Amino acid sequence: MSNKFYDNPVIKWVEYRLPIFSFIDESVGSGYPTPKNLNYWWNFGSLAGIVLAIMVATGIVLAMNYTPHVDYAFESVERIMRDVNYGWLIRYIHMNGGSMFFILVFIHMFRGLYYGSFKEPRELLWIIGVMIFLAMMATAFMGYVLPWGQMSFWGATVITNLFSAIPIIGDYIVTWLWGGFSVDNPTLNRFFSLHYLFPFVIFGLVFVHLWALHVHKSNNPAGVEIKSSEDTIPFHPYYTMKDLFGLGVFMIFFMFFVFFAPNFFGEPDNYIKADALVTPAHIVPEWYFLPFYAILRAVPDIWFISAKLGGVIAMFGATLVLMLLPWLDRSKVRSARFRPIYRQLFWVFFVDCLILGWVGANSPDAVFHGIPFLWIGQAGTVYYFAHILIIIPLVSILEKPIMPPASISAAVTADGAATKPAE
Amino acid sequence: MIKTLKASLAVLALAGLVTLNAAPAKAAASKEPLPARNWSFDGMFGTFDRGSVQRGLQVYLEVCASCHSLKLVAYRNLSGIGLKEDQIKTIAAEFEVTDGPNAEGEMFERPAKPSDRFVSPFPNDNAARASNNGALPPDLSLMVKARKGGADYLHALLTGYKEEPPAGVKLGEGMLYNVHFPGNQIAMSPPLSDDAVEYADGTKASVEQLATDISTFLAWTAEPELEERKSLGIKVLLFLIVLTGMLYALKRQVWADQH
């Protein structure tokens, strides 16, 4: 409360009754101490939050002009593109914003993996993050159905059909999800309703995510805890400024796609109106689902489990298993900087995820230099789970890490001496 | 690109996709690479060549419109490619639309107005199929956005007919061989021929020219916002680059005591 700002009588009056100014200050202001050594990989969390806000803002405007009915949905989107003032801009921001959101969150998650941000005492922070990711995937999937193009319809048909793999009650669940006996108007209506609801669920989860974050503060590239005030700098102005610069760079990237390649991430088939009697030659999901799509298709019949059920379990398991990471990785050293073997395997895992994405974009019976994509997908899937369930626990026990620095301030000075406290 | 199947077959194909036994419909016949062409609307500063896009409108009206609808475009939109109000009114007035009911409760015919959408050649899909040997001529409004390769594909398709299919390829009843159509069998007969239209501006109407012009016109119907989008985009990017440069300088200043 040493801030001069609080001398203002109006601020004082409000603050006495509702301490909102100190709350803001202690959350994202000068009263929130942050590790002084965060690198640019720590920009992506706040960027994802900003994109969430952009998605909600553009989405609300789109909803004012969109008609969730199978006879009008496609045309109403085209009306937005052609007749609504700057409708094309709002829709292209929303459409590409979905892809941007996933790019940012993927980087955010890989950063957490690399620097061990999921480890004690940040297990819940990580788990809530995985829940946000699941909610994002559900939201994105339902949003993609709304324009009612061919990929909307057939994507919805394929994904909802997956639930029929559940033994005994599967078919009933699918009928219940559809609200009928195929993807049709009731399905579109409820997807619209839920697509509007879920972002607010994500907001709630983000709030809890930040709450947990602010208890133990950000992890940092050195992976050592904050030990004294010498290790920290106030969030404002240092990180507000750094985040703003990062936002500028990101917006250049984002707006390039919006204005000059707005359909880069999309499928041409989605500009054909949904037709239940015409199946597209290749049903492919949006790019951010491709690694999961590859895992889904990689699983063969195993004993009494059908390939379909096995694939569904593997696909959902691929995300859910991430929640176990804090207990699978037993290394006390967080940052991969000080874990030479884990660091190399991290990049193997990263490449494996890219390969799975590439396999997901190709038909499983296609062939790459004599190797069927199915095999590549199966190898990639085996490595994905082996990396998390076997390699990470083993490496964390067997690896001899390099001694991390004694403190954050020791990490940022070349000679290992403590730095002078910030002015 | 699209393979028509019965609904039941579609569901089977889906189940197949999941159980890995599927052989998704692939173009069994030859697949030629699309020649990449230079379009006036390519690139960050691209705009629709006014002459070409207006000639393309003429090609649509005189050739394509006998089978293909353009339901998402209104006559008033033609101001976007440089047509004057009276020109638009003249074009619209050539078509009849059903309006009503009037005060007596009767539907009536009237000439189309600029506010009307392009009048479709057939009253409904069944009528379109009945007149076209069972094949449905697709709506062209979004064609360029709805095909991989966009305008390149369209141009290649329109100039990709072969009079005789290669040896060993048997065509279906009433089908024609096209190098670039997926599966190579297309129901549409070659729509363009030299001098199929007489251009008002005197340009020689070769098949090549006709294909270029109609592709340009349909690129516009698919993305009528393209010119506005790109010119606004340049301003937005320039603004963001300057802003980000300033933010970087400010960041350096704020962090100066930390380095």
Side-chain angles (χ1 to χ4, degrees), chain A residues 250-325:
Chain A
F250 166 70
M251 287 305 278
I252 293 172
F253 178 77
F254 184 7
M255 289 302 130
F256 172 79
F257 284 101
V258 167
F259 286 102
F260 298 103
N263 294 298
F264 177 81
F265 295 104
E267 278 292 318
D269 271 24
N270 227 27
Y271 282 107
I272 304 168
K273 190 177 174 176
D275 187 340
L277 300 178
V278 180
T279 318
H282 298 282
I283 301 172
V284 281
E286 287 275 82
W287 69 268
Y288 35 81
F289 291 133
L290 290 175
F292 301 100
Y293 197 49
I295 291 172
L296 169 75
R297 298 186 300 182
V299 182
D301 287 313
I302 303 169
W303 200 27
F304 64 90
I305 301 171
S306 70
K308 190 174 178 183
L309 179 59
V312 172
I313 293 171
M315 183 177 72
F316 284 105
T319 306
L320 294 175
V321 75
L322 296 173
M323 292 192 182
L324 301 177
L325 266 180

Side-chain angles (χ1 to χ4, degrees), chain A residues 66-76 146 148 185 188-189:
Chain A
Y66 169 77
T67 311
H69 188 285
V70 290
D71 292 340
Y72 307 109
F74 187 84
E75 283 78 5
S76 75
L146 302 185
W148 208 242
N185 202 47
L188 178 60
N189 267 283

Side-chain angles (χ1 to χ4, degrees), chain A residues 82-83 88 92 157-158 233 238 241 244-245 248 259 262 268-269 271-272 277-279 281 297 308 365 422, chain B residues 1-3 5 10 14 18 20 22-23 76 117 145-147 221 225 228-229 233 244 247-248 254-255 257-258:
Chain A
R82 290 158 193 271
D83 292 337
W88 57 267
Y92 278 157
T157 303
V158 170
I233 45 177
Y238 293 102
M241 198 55 238
L244 267 179
F245 166 58
F259 286 102
D269 271 24
Y271 282 107
I272 304 168
L277 300 178
V278 180
T279 318
R297 298 186 300 182
K308 190 174 178 183
D365 51 11
Chain B
M1 179 143 306
I2 296 166
K3 191 163 184 277
L5 295 167
L14 282 174
V18 176
L20 309 168
R76 64 180 159 81
R117 307 263 157 162
K145 262 169 134 178
R147 295 290 181 274
T221 63
E225 88 297 343
E228 189 190 7
R229 168 159 60 77
T244 306
L247 288 173
Y248 181 65
V254 166
W255 280 74
D257 63 354
Q258 289 295 322

Side-chain angles (χ1 to χ4, degrees), chain A residues 31-364:
Chain A
Y32 180 58
T34 316
K36 63 190 345 177
N37 60 336
L38 300 187
N39 57 30
Y40 276 103
W41 297 113
W42 263 262
N43 277 48
F44 290 85
S46 72
L47 282 178
I50 291 166
V51 170
L52 175 62
I54 293 174
M55 292 303 278
V56 169
T58 51
I60 287 172
V61 179
L62 288 173
M64 293 174 188
N65 294 286
Y66 169 77
T67 311
H69 188 285
V70 290
D71 292 340
Y72 307 109
F74 187 84
E75 283 78 5
S76 75
V77 171
E78 279 307 314
R79 200 187 142 266
I80 291 170
M81 294 298 290
R82 290 158 193 271
D83 292 337
V84 174
N85 289 332
Y86 290 99
W88 57 267
L89 179 57
I90 295 161
R91 173 168 182 250
Y92 278 157
I93 289 175
H94 197 75
M95 210 171 107
N96 286 280
S99 286
M100 295 298 139
F101 203 179
F102 277 93
I103 290 174
L104 297 171
V105 166
F106 281 138
I107 294 173
H108 189 60
M109 291 168 78
F110 276 115
R111 189 268 287 155
L113 280 179
Y114 187 87
Y115 292 110
S117 302
F118 53 86
K119 291 186 188 181
E120 195 262 313
R122 296 185 182 82
E123 300 96 324
L124 281 178
L125 176 60
W126 172 259
I127 289 170
I128 295 160
V130 176
M131 288 162 66
I132 292 173
F133 180 57
L134 285 168
M136 275 175 66
M137 291 201 287
T139 310
F141 162 66
M142 290 186 290
Y144 193 58
V145 176
L146 302 185
W148 208 242
Q150 275 288 66
M151 282 298 167
S152 300
F153 179 84
W154 290 101
T157 303
V158 170
I159 300 301
T160 49
N161 257 314
L162 294 179
F163 290 90
S164 69
I166 300 167
I168 305 166
I169 54 168
D171 287 333
Y172 298 103
I173 289 180
V174 174
T175 307
W176 176 72
L177 285 173
W178 286 341
F181 299 100
S182 67
V183 174
D184 208 334
N185 202 47
T187 327
L188 178 60
N189 267 283
R190 62 191 56 190
F191 277 19
F192 177 56
S193 173
L194 293 173
H195 182 71
Y196 206 113
L197 168 70
F198 270 42
F200 297 97
V201 174
I202 295 176
F203 257 133
L205 287 168
V206 167
F207 179 80
V208 186
H209 192 64
L210 290 176
W211 187 7
L213 172 72
H214 285 172
V215 177
H216 291 285
K217 315 283 189 289
S218 292
N219 181 34
N220 62 82
V224 292
E225 286 295 290
I226 296 168
K227 297 207 169 84
S228 71
S229 60
E230 281 188 7
D231 293 342
T232 64
I233 45 177
F235 189 82
H236 180 74
Y238 293 102
Y239 287 107
T240 42
M241 198 55 238
K242 196 172 177 177
D243 280 352
L244 267 179
F245 166 58
L247 177 64
V249 174
F250 166 70
M251 287 305 278
I252 293 172
F253 178 77
F254 184 7
M255 289 302 130
F256 172 79
F257 284 101
V258 167
F259 286 102
F260 298 103
N263 294 298
F264 177 81
F265 295 104
E267 278 292 318
D269 271 24
N270 227 27
Y271 282 107
I272 304 168
K273 190 177 174 176
D275 187 340
L277 300 178
V278 180
T279 318
H282 298 282
I283 301 172
V284 281
E286 287 275 82
W287 69 268
Y288 35 81
F289 291 133
L290 290 175
F292 301 100
Y293 197 49
I295 291 172
L296 169 75
R297 298 186 300 182
V299 182
D301 287 313
I302 303 169
W303 200 27
F304 64 90
I305 301 171
S306 70
K308 190 174 178 183
L309 179 59
V312 172
I313 293 171
M315 183 177 72
F316 284 105
T319 306
L320 294 175
V321 75
L322 296 173
M323 292 192 182
L324 301 177
L325 266 180
W327 295 277
L328 290 169
D329 188 340
R330 313 201 59 83
S331 173
K332 291 271 177 267
V333 176
R334 289 202 190 98
S335 174
R337 277 189 186 172
F338 309 108
R339 300 184 59 192
I341 297 169
Y342 176 80
R343 185 171 65 223
Q344 287 170 32
L345 288 166
F346 167 86
W347 289 110
V348 174
F349 181 70
F350 177 74
V351 171
D352 185 54
C353 292
L354 293 184
I355 289 173
L356 282 171
W358 169 62
V359 171
N362 283 282
S363 134

